[in-house]
Amino acid sequence: MGKFTLRYKPYTLELRHVFTVASFSRTTTPVVLTELEYEGIIGYGEASMPPYLGESQQSVMSFLSQVDLSSFSSPFETAEILHYIDQINAKNTAAKASVDIALHDLLGKIMGQPLYKIWGLNPDNIPATSFTIGIDTEDMIRQKVQEAGQFKILKVKLGLQTDKMIINTIRSVTDVPLCADVNQGWKNKEEALEMAHWLKEKNVTFLEQPMPKEMIDENAWLTERSPIPTIADEGCQRLIDIPALKGVYTGINIKLMKCTGLREAKQMAELAKALEMKVMLGCMTETSCAISAAAQLGPLVDWADLDGALLIGNDLYKGMTVENGQCILPESPGIGLTKE
Ligand code: MG
């Protein structure tokens, strides 16, 4: 296998609360943790597989077993290595991200600098992260909001019949700005527009994936009229998707697990900005590994939603931390992890 050694193992994240969105509930998330070693230096990576994305621990490990880096002689052949990884097949974006993250961590460690410094980004410019309140009963919502007292912005999951109850319940406890993720749950554009106006009155900052991604004309109709920005999440996976989304949504939600990792995520943020679209940086439930990797790009974005590691009870790493709602990146090389 040449100078590179790629190792990987399955791991199951235990969620602190049952997590409910418009289409499902769950209590665990399967991930695969990777290590890419080169001349004694180890980069860490991770693939997180919420079930709706179609990847599993088995599919990720099967993908990783096909990776052969023996023809590459240096991690600085980054572009070629990641092009090779991407062309192995058309899917497996989380598996690809687990190699991309480990490779970037390795590069930063070889250079002795955090990635954000290598990219010339100021970590003070990372927006305050939102914290997600899942769909729940009124009592549980109040309890979760109280637990989330340090956050400057909360994210709520909408898209069921309980939308107004959820917002009103949160508003009975706090005035903190909200963002709303509908996860494609609304099916009617006129009702969606009515809700957008109602949500603006309730100090909701933006609306993530209001209607199904296939409803392109309806999402564009809503975006044109909505008093708050609309953001594509399920409707935007990779760099190539972005130009067609201009006008359909105000902005995009970039996640490493959707777009194959840091290299493409950075290109996406830059392209969206050039197209004068808003950029949100999101995550799955992940350990501090993938979260700390994503946070390196935080200074490039308008909104950060990097609470994934806070939602789990068995993180294996320490990296990006959240203090008073702000993302704090360690000054350590690469993605800045230490093992717990
Ligand atoms: Mg979303």
Side-chain angles (χ1 to χ4, degrees):
M1 180 132 177
K3 292 180 168 182
F4 288 98
T5 309
L6 177 64
R7 292 182 287 268
Y8 45 89
K9 63 170 186 205
Y11 188 65
T12 300
L13 305 183
E14 286 152 22
L15 308 189
R16 291 181 192 274
H17 289 290
V18 178
F19 193 67
T20 302
V21 300
S23 50
F24 59 87
S25 295
R26 64 175 201 273
T27 55
T28 61
T29 299
V31 303
V32 172
L33 303 172
T34 57
E35 290 184 4
L36 185 60
E37 182 167 349
Y38 177 82
E39 295 187 345
I41 301 175
I42 298 172
Y44 296 110
E46 176 177 11
S48 172
M49 286 83 63
Y52 61 93
L53 287 181
E55 289 185 82
S56 63
Q57 287 171 330
Q58 199 180 7
S59 72
V60 169
M61 290 193 291
S62 156
F63 179 92
L64 294 174
S65 73
Q66 297 169 59
V67 171
D68 174 8
L69 300 176
S70 59
S71 64
F72 299 102
S73 54
S74 159
F76 290 97
E77 293 165 24
T78 318
E80 288 157 77
I81 293 171
L82 294 176
H83 174 75
Y84 156 73
I85 296 287
D86 195 24
Q87 60 75 52
I88 291 176
N89 68 29
K91 295 183 172 174
N92 287 106
T93 54
K96 292 169 182 175
S98 75
V99 180
D100 167 289
I101 294 168
L103 180 58
H104 278 91
D105 191 33
L106 185 57
L107 286 167
K109 284 171 173 164
I110 292 169
M111 289 188 264
Q113 296 291 341
L115 290 167
Y116 66 82
K117 283 196 177 176
I118 293 167
W119 290 330
L121 302 174
N122 180 350
D124 295 342
N125 294 337
I126 305 176
T129 182
S130 53
F131 181 80
T132 299
I133 308 292
I135 293 173
D136 218 316
T137 61
E138 288 184 53
D139 283 348
M140 277 305 289
I141 290 171
R142 274 191 211 96
Q143 185 191 325
K144 286 182 182 176
V145 170
Q146 264 143 11
E147 282 173 21
Q150 67 153 314
F151 293 91
K152 309 265 189 284
I153 179 165
L154 295 177
K155 172 166 163 170
V156 285
K157 295 287 195 176
L158 301 182
L160 298 180
Q161 298 311 310
T162 47
D163 290 356
K164 287 193 175 177
M165 177 280 282
I166 290 172
I167 299 288
N168 285 329
T169 303
I170 294 173
R171 281 288 169 257
S172 74
V173 189
T174 179
D175 293 327
V176 72
L178 304 176
C179 54
D181 188 357
V182 187
N183 287 116
Q184 316 186 81
W186 297 341
K187 315 293 180 198
N188 176 292
K189 65 182 181 186
E190 283 86 7
E191 286 171 24
L193 181 60
E194 212 171 292
M195 276 301 288
H197 281 285
W198 186 82
L199 291 169
K200 182 179 168 62
E201 280 171 32
K202 300 288 176 185
N203 195 18
V204 171
T205 310
F206 63 87
L207 208 49
E208 200 181 322
Q209 202 63 55
M211 288 182 282
K213 61 182 179 184
E214 296 79 14
M215 294 175 70
I216 292 165
D217 293 345
E218 290 85 349
N219 277 304
W221 182 93
L222 176 66
T223 296
E224 204 185 325
R225 292 161 180 80
S226 174
I228 51 177
T230 63
I231 303 294
D233 182 7
E234 289 85 342
C236 177
Q237 188 171 14
R238 298 195 59 176
L239 182 66
I240 198 170
D241 300 329
I242 297 176
L245 297 175
K246 168 87 177 163
V248 180
Y249 304 92
T250 319
I252 58 165
N253 185 353
I254 300 171
K255 294 176 179 170
L256 300 185
M257 297 304 144
K258 292 194 297 184
C259 76
T260 74
L262 286 163
R263 185 177 173 82
E264 187 156 323
K266 184 165 177 286
Q267 294 169 335
M268 289 176 77
E270 288 161 349
L271 176 59
K273 281 166 87 109
L275 292 170
E276 297 184 323
M277 295 175 77
K278 293 285 188 187
V279 181
M280 173 181 179
L281 184 60
C283 62
M284 310 297 177
T285 36
E286 301 164 345
T287 71
S288 287
C289 177
I291 295 294
S292 304
Q296 305 289 324
L297 294 171
L300 286 174
V301 310
D302 299 290
W303 296 297
D305 180 28
L306 296 175
D307 64 352
L310 304 172
L311 303 175
I312 63 173
N314 59 341
D315 200 351
L316 288 170
Y317 306 101
K318 193 170 184 317
M320 186 201 88
T321 53
V322 180
E323 290 168 31
N324 291 322
Q326 299 292 335
C327 301
I328 312 292
L329 276 171
E331 261 202 84
S332 326
I335 61 175
L337 293 187
T338 45
K339 280 198 164 177
E340 286 279 66

